């Protein structure tokens, strides 16, 4: 069972759960279909992000011109520590 769930609502993809190396396979394998027409990824309900999850968010933001919404203070700290403010669209 995946530790991350993705629910699409109109132009927003809501991610729920843990975004880490163990949960990324489903997102990677379905990204073209999953992100078709998506303008925002809501990460409000993401409870944990590791470096591979952060790298995935960076890739999605840049590859598909998507912005992140609902960024938690912990995720914002990671974004700042890796100096990704100009890379991740918020």
């Amino acid at each position: 069972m995946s530790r991350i769930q993705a629910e699409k609502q109109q132009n927003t993809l809501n991610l729920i759960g843990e975004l880490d190396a163990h949960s990324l396979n489903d997102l990677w394998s379905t990204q073209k279909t999953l992100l078709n027409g998506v303008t925002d990824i809501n990460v409000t309900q993401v409870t944990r992000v590791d470096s591979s999850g952060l790298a995935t968010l960076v890739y999605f933001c840049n590859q598909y011109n998507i912005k992140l919404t609902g960024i938690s203070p912990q995720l914002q700290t990671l974004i700042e520590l890796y100096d990704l403010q100009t890379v991740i669209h918020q």
Side-chain angles (χ1 to χ4, degrees):
M1 182 173 157
S2 179
R3 298 178 344 181
I4 189 77
Q5 295 176 20
E7 297 176 355
K8 198 170 178 180
Q9 293 179 326
Q10 297 174 347
N11 298 11
T12 301
L13 182 68
N14 297 303
L15 295 180
I16 304 160
E18 297 181 10
L19 187 58
D20 58 22
H22 303 290
S23 65
L24 292 176
N25 283 342
D26 289 342
L27 290 180
W28 273 108
S29 64
T30 61
Q31 67 178 287
K32 287 186 181 180
T33 320
L34 193 60
L35 297 172
N36 184 31
V38 168
T39 58
D40 303 292
I41 296 177
N42 184 329
V43 293
T44 303
Q45 297 181 65
V46 173
T47 56
R48 180 176 173 276
V49 178
D50 71 2
S51 58
S52 61
L54 182 58
T56 299
L57 292 174
V58 168
Y59 176 80
F60 287 168
C61 284
N62 287 290
Q63 184 68 24
Y64 297 96
N65 197 28
I66 292 174
K67 72 176 188 171
L68 293 184
T69 61
I71 297 172
S72 69
Q74 294 85 359
L75 181 54
Q76 185 63 43
T77 299
L78 270 181
I79 291 168
E80 290 171 8
L81 284 173
Y82 286 105
D83 199 22
L84 296 170
Q85 300 92 316
T86 59
V87 179
I88 291 185
H89 312 292
Q90 298 181 44

